[in-house]
Amino acid sequence: MKRRQMMQLAAASMGLSIAGVPLHVLAQAKPNGVINAIVQPEPPGLMSAIYSNGPTQLVAGNIFEGLVRLTEKLEPVPALAESWQMSDDGLTYTFKLKKGVKWHDGKPFTSADVVFSVDVFVRKTMARARGNLAAVESISAPDAHTVVFKLKHPVGAFLSFFETGSMPMVAKHIYEGAADFLSHPANNKPIGTGPFKFKEWVKGSYIQLTANEDYHVQGVPGVKDVYYHVIPDAASRAAAFESGKVDILPGGSVEFFDVKRLASLSGAAVTTKGWEFFAPHSWLWLNNRRKPFDDVKFRQAIMYAIDREAIAKVAFFGFAKVASGPVNSSVKFYTDKVTHYKRDLNKAKALIKETAYKGEPLRLLPMPYGETWMRVAEMIRQNLQQAGIKVEMVSTDVAGWNSRLNEWDFDMSTTYVFQYGDPALGVARNYISSQIAKGSPWNNVEGYSNPKVDDLFDRGMKETDATKRAAIYAEVQKLLVDEVPIAWLHELQMPTIYRTKIDNLISSGIGLNDGMGYAKLK
């Protein structure tokens, strides 16, 4: 077997890091102090193997753990697995689990929990995990601390499957034999292996986590308690930070126009780190099933018509970068060697004249996620109207927006989507034909279908050689950018505002979602 191991003990002996965190950060012996953060909106639940939305992951990623953590460079490092090996043919992965790990109720964590979590629980409850696991032929546990995965074909992004948000470990002794995982009473008081334990949830007010003082990493967690406050509107969340009620405003919890002011307060700072894995990418869904969006020239005209630079400056106050295509530049195998659509109204108008569009009104559905997104939609409408495209705004609430996209009842709609660090994990789903299915606002909503694109994404997913993967994904990016199935807008930078009294707040590629245990108060 070809050894590709990362071992905690080796890192410790060389004075490097544990789970990607410098050892000097872990020197504090006892957790001390309290951190107050915002969670917005209030999560539907804290069982992250059931709810994969952002608010749930923000809190539950510090209760539950995966086999690996991901650094800001998206390199897998040990978490519940202390090492792993991949066979020469890329079809077998053997994980060695860390010994002495306990669930929050004191029961030991073993390989049986891994097999149950992956092969039973998440296959039923997590659509994204279920898709990732389609290539897994079998999972076995030769002993209490070894897990072996055999694959049907190589998967280049396989190790990235096992970060806590994508594949959280679930306690077999709690859930085995349950008739319904979704309604299990244990979901209300989640038991994980992470640095924090669930303590209390006062609905509409706060969620409290408390230190797991039996945690398997020395010196972690650094603080005693973390409170996640539920505050309904952005202005009130900003006021709570100003008053000192909260210490952390996660990315997206206040309007972009407030970021600079809040970050300039005494004892405050801002960072855009901790979103490398998610790589939020915004775009304009274009319903390819409907005229005039079935014409590639009309779609290209939209790209030329939109002033994406202006939107980045005016709506996002600089916390956005114009997207060159379907892949975020922080994602593996990104290339900018594609057609670039700089704003050009003359080109847009010329292309429109070559289509069957006759000035009929087209509906624009803004994403109902606050003032910033309404401003984005208004600027897009103005830009398109300048090119001669008549646009009607159709406003709705979050439920209505989801429903319309789920049922393909739209012409155009703004959105942003996470890309999960690798094209196989978070990009392909938006363009391959097999992901054209009603019921999700995050798959191939636009209805684009191209057999060559399907083949390229399939080859890229199965290839393990990085150089070959890069060539495949470069080809598919060029093809997609020329065909414009959707109108790419921006790579979003999600600014986290925090008190400077907090040290080591961001220690991984998913930031606050698994890093609160490694933070400490100065």
Side-chain angles (χ1 to χ4, degrees):
M1 298 183 83
K2 184 187 298 179
R3 296 181 65 83
R4 295 192 179 179
Q5 290 189 316
M6 292 186 177
M7 304 185 69
Q8 279 187 318
L9 293 178
S13 66
M14 291 186 291
L16 299 176
S17 65
I18 290 178
V21 180
L23 292 180
H24 71 273
V25 173
L26 309 179
Q28 184 173 323
K30 278 263 188 189
N32 182 52
V34 174
I35 290 178
N36 291 281
I38 287 290
V39 60
Q40 171 58 32
E42 187 166 20
L46 292 180
M47 188 59 188
S48 56
I50 295 175
Y51 302 102
S52 58
N53 61 81
T56 295
Q57 297 293 325
L58 176 69
V59 181
N62 297 288
I63 299 173
F64 295 94
E65 294 182 284
L67 296 184
V68 305
R69 292 183 86 212
L70 296 175
T71 69
E72 65 178 72
K73 294 183 179 179
L74 305 183
E75 298 162 338
V77 293
L80 290 175
E82 65 178 14
S83 66
W84 48 84
Q85 299 174 340
M86 183 187 79
S87 62
D88 291 335
D89 60 7
L91 295 178
T92 303
Y93 284 79
T94 302
F95 290 87
K96 291 294 183 180
L97 304 182
K98 190 172 185 180
K99 295 179 180 178
V101 178
K102 295 179 181 178
W103 294 100
H104 292 160
D105 61 4
K107 301 288 187 183
F109 167 77
T110 71
S111 58
D113 294 305
V114 179
V115 174
F116 175 78
S117 299
V118 178
D119 217 19
V120 179
F121 200 101
V122 302
R123 281 191 189 274
K124 292 184 178 180
T125 61
M126 294 181 72
R128 181 159 62 92
R130 188 162 53 246
N132 290 344
L133 293 170
V136 176
E137 184 175 277
S138 67
I139 309 171
S140 60
D143 59 55
H145 295 96
T146 305
V147 183
V148 179
F149 291 81
K150 292 190 178 297
L151 309 184
K152 300 172 186 175
H153 54 74
V155 178
F158 187 71
L159 288 175
S160 296
F161 289 2
F162 294 98
E163 58 87 24
T164 182
S166 303
M167 198 77 68
M169 293 297 107
V170 177
K172 178 181 179 180
H173 67 275
I174 293 176
Y175 287 95
E176 186 177 34
D180 182 11
F181 295 149
L182 301 183
S183 62
H184 197 288
N187 297 343
N188 298 321
K189 293 184 178 181
I191 299 291
T193 60
F196 287 100
K197 298 179 180 181
F198 171 81
K199 186 169 185 179
E200 184 181 26
W201 187 347
V202 178
K203 293 296 175 85
S205 184
Y206 65 84
I207 299 167
Q208 181 187 2
L209 305 186
T210 194
N212 173 15
E213 297 196 25
D214 201 21
Y215 189 55
H216 56 88
V217 177
Q218 185 178 1
V220 178
V223 296
K224 178 64 176 172
D225 293 283
V226 179
Y227 288 83
Y228 294 89
H229 297 267
V230 178
I231 300 177
D233 67 279
S236 297
R237 293 191 287 274
F241 186 82
E242 288 182 273
S243 70
K245 178 179 179 179
V246 300
D247 306 307
I248 301 173
L249 294 170
S253 58
V254 294
E255 298 291 351
F256 284 90
F257 59 73
D258 250 347
V259 172
K260 185 176 180 179
R261 179 180 66 83
L262 294 170
S264 67
L265 295 173
S266 178
V270 63
T271 181
T272 56
K273 291 184 177 181
W275 291 84
E276 293 82 5
F277 182 63
F278 301 116
H281 212 66
S282 74
W283 58 67
L284 187 68
W285 288 122
L286 305 176
N287 195 336
N288 289 207
R289 307 168 189 84
R290 298 182 175 182
K291 294 184 179 301
F293 302 102
D294 60 342
D295 190 329
V296 65
K297 291 182 179 179
F298 190 82
R299 302 195 301 267
Q300 290 171 342
I302 288 176
M303 284 294 288
Y304 282 118
I306 298 174
D307 192 343
R308 296 177 293 160
E309 290 280 3
I311 293 172
K313 293 176 183 176
V314 175
F316 293 107
F317 288 78
F319 288 101
K321 172 186 172 184
V322 171
S324 62
V327 179
N328 191 292
S329 61
S330 71
V331 172
K332 294 176 181 176
F333 312 118
Y334 162 82
T335 181
D336 66 352
K337 292 182 172 68
V338 296
T339 301
H340 289 271
Y341 295 88
K342 292 187 179 291
R343 194 184 194 221
D344 190 327
L345 282 177
N346 290 330
K347 280 187 178 180
K349 291 175 181 178
L351 283 165
I352 291 169
K353 285 182 180 179
E354 297 181 39
T355 72
Y357 179 67
K358 301 301 180 185
E360 60 271 24
L362 303 176
R363 299 173 299 163
L364 172 57
L365 185 67
M367 186 170 64
Y369 278 28
E371 292 180 36
T372 295
W373 290 100
M374 284 305 299
R375 191 174 293 111
V376 169
E378 289 165 0
M379 293 184 73
I380 289 173
R381 175 173 63 176
Q382 182 182 50
N383 291 165
L384 295 182
Q385 288 182 162
Q386 289 168 344
I389 300 172
K390 189 173 181 180
V391 178
E392 292 181 353
M393 203 82 84
V394 181
S395 297
T396 184
D397 58 12
V398 174
W401 179 78
N402 275 279
S403 176
R404 283 179 177 269
L405 291 178
N406 289 347
E407 295 301 316
W408 306 335
D409 181 18
F410 73 99
D411 294 331
M412 300 177 285
S413 178
T414 49
T415 191
Y416 76 88
V417 173
F418 291 163
Q419 298 206 327
Y420 302 114
D422 191 289
L425 302 182
V427 179
R429 60 180 173 153
N430 299 124
Y431 307 101
I432 58 176
S433 304
S434 62
Q435 288 296 309
I436 300 175
K438 285 186 176 182
S440 170
W442 316 117
N443 59 8
N444 187 339
V445 175
E446 77 274 14
Y448 170 78
S449 181
N450 182 328
K452 186 172 182 179
V453 168
D454 293 345
D455 178 64
L456 286 167
F457 274 120
D458 184 61
R459 286 167 51 203
M461 182 264 294
K462 292 177 179 177
E463 181 58 65
T464 58
D465 181 271
T467 301
K468 293 178 180 177
R469 292 191 81 203
I472 292 168
Y473 287 125
E475 185 178 354
V476 78
Q477 286 173 75
K478 186 178 186 309
L479 178 55
L480 285 171
V481 171
D482 287 344
E483 298 208 341
V484 195
I486 57 183
W488 299 282
L489 299 175
H490 302 97
E491 299 179 8
L492 301 181
Q493 296 174 355
M494 305 297 274
T496 296
I497 306 166
Y498 65 99
R499 305 282 177 205
T500 54
K501 68 180 181 180
I502 305 172
D503 191 26
N504 199 52
L505 181 62
I506 306 298
S507 59
S508 78
I510 64 172
L512 299 179
N513 287 25
D514 74 347
M516 294 300 285
Y518 296 88
K520 64 177 182 178
L521 298 175
K522 295 178 182 177

